[in-house]
Structures are given as C-alpha cells and as structure tokens.
Amino acid sequence: MKSVLILSATLAVALPALAQDTVADWDVTRDPDRKLTVAFTAFDNGLAIGTRCLNNSFQVLINGLPPATGEIRTLKIAFEDEEADEQRWNVGENREVAISDYPSPLARNLRKGGRMQIVVPGGAENGRNLRYVIDLPASGAAIDETLQACGRPLVDPRDAERSALPEDGLPPEIEWARQPRPTYPSGRTYTRGFATVTCLSQADGRLRDCMIESEHPMDGGFGKALLDSTRDARVRNRQGGELATRMIAFRTNFRMEEETTTGRRLRSN
C-alpha cells in the first residue's frame, strides 16, 4: 500500500515546519509522472490531513491518529457548531492513517476552513473518547486542485443526499433484489482492499450514474471491479410499490485468502 505510505511520509516531514495560525493555504505537492497531486496541512498536536488524487482516484486521509486495531474505524467529525457526524473510515497499512469512505464531499467541506472536531471513540486511556479540535486553514486553491485533478466537482448538490444515507447505504424504502457480486481484480498483487460506489436507482430496479467514491489501494483495481458489478445488480421497493430515483451506496471489502487444499482463494464481501 505504497500510496498511503508516501502520503504519510510527506505529512510527517511537514509536521515540524507548519503551524496552524500561519498557513495561508494548504501545501501542495505534484508528481506529473505518476499523475499525483496532494494537498495537505499539519498541526502541532500531531495530526495531518491530506486530499489526494492519484491517477483519477481520490482520497482524503487523516494521519497521526491512535493506531487502529481493525481494518475499519469510526470517527465523529464536526465542523464549526454542527452536530458531530459519525463516519466509517478505513485503515491503511500504517495503522495511524484513516481513509474516508466519501472523500469528495468531505474535501468540499475541508476547503472552507474553520474549526473542526475529530472524536476517536475509545482512543484515549481507559477507553475514553479522544477529542481533537483544530483550526483548519481555508483552502482557496490547493484542495480544489486535487478535486479537479480527479474530475470531481467543486460543488455537488448530491452531497446532502449522500450524508443522509444510513450505514448500509440504502434509503429506508429500498432493498436489494440482487446485490452486486464483484470479482477480485485479476493480475493484482494486493492481498486486500476496498471500494465504495454510489448509484441512482431506476424505476425498473437497475442502477445508473454509478461512480467510484473511494478505493484503496488506489491502483488496486477494486473500484473498477465494484463498478462493473453494478450492471447486474437490482434494487426494489420494500413495500412493492413504485421505485423512485434515489441515491444508494455500497461498499465491498476484498481479501485474498489462503486455502490449504487448493491454494489461493479470492473473496469479496
């Protein structure tokens, strides 16, 4: 998972050099050969936040958190005086790095700057919650550059609909008639990964306007594998009535397992 390690190293180098009250915009690093653009800012409390586009794959990462124990962790995020939003974040190979499931709407919030609270449930001693309060510098250009590098809009009216989705990604009146069944990307060396995709439902239960919200590793092919599986997926109204056009979201964890009898087995769930 080299891409996470590269950003972690970039942010770690920046930590001593940046201070919260002196940064006019987020710092930007570019590597045209790798189609990589990173915007990042760092804080005296050890946290660093970055938005990154790598070859049309977009991520938002937080570095410097207490090490996670699993592959997914919960963070509560709040901007200014808003109520904290409980979010599911993914864990990179570096256990102190968290990767957002829905990076684009989060990046559009980050660019505004201002007070941000990050709560890590059970992250302090004796299982207490750990709370970070940081003053984000507003980003007039840096975050926009990473969004535009990945073809992500600077304003998206669907952000509110995304944030209203429950954890399973389905509006209350919709259920799966046939769930996506992705296959493990062929020719890949990564032993695990994940992807999150959003789509719009149609009256006939098919899905349209599907897009990859996030994937990791960024060059693992997991986003495309999940996107391809939407062609055969179907949804329906739980009550059997007419199916409205609504946004739905789904996430798949990919893992390569070893079997003692037949060797490697590819699994997604």
Side-chain angles (χ1 to χ4, degrees), residues 19-87:
Q20 293 177 227
D21 57 353
T22 59
V23 179
D25 199 341
W26 295 34
D27 280 11
V28 179
T29 61
R30 307 172 186 86
D31 186 343
D33 292 338
R34 298 183 58 223
K35 298 181 180 179
L36 172 67
T37 306
V38 181
F40 62 92
T41 187
F43 304 90
D44 294 336
N45 60 11
L47 286 186
I49 302 177
T51 67
R52 173 176 59 186
C53 178
L54 175 62
N55 197 21
N56 210 38
S57 181
F58 190 71
Q59 287 184 338
V60 171
L61 306 96
I62 300 176
N63 189 28
L65 296 168
T69 56
E71 296 179 6
I72 297 175
R73 72 187 309 166
T74 298
L75 298 178
K76 296 180 179 180
I77 307 293
F79 294 94
E80 297 297 343
D81 296 325
E82 295 177 356
E83 184 178 348
D85 178 26
E86 187 170 289
Q87 301 177 6

Side-chain angles (χ1 to χ4, degrees), residues 173-175 202-205 235-245:
E173 73 275 18
I174 291 179
E175 65 181 3
Q202 298 186 112
D204 62 0
V235 292
R236 62 191 173 203
N237 189 308
R238 292 181 186 273
Q239 306 301 323
E242 184 178 352
L243 185 63
T245 299

Side-chain angles (χ1 to χ4, degrees), residues 105-157:
L106 179 57
R108 287 187 280 268
N109 266 326
L110 292 171
R111 65 210 281 258
K112 302 172 187 175
R115 188 178 69 160
M116 178 182 184
Q117 294 187 62
I118 302 170
V119 177
V120 185
E125 292 183 1
N126 301 319
R128 294 179 293 111
N129 291 348
L130 178 63
R131 183 186 303 272
Y132 298 93
V133 180
I134 55 179
D135 291 322
L136 286 173
S139 177
I143 294 178
D144 287 1
E145 185 174 345
T146 61
L147 284 166
Q148 290 173 321
C150 269
R152 304 293 176 111
L154 302 184
V155 177
D156 190 343

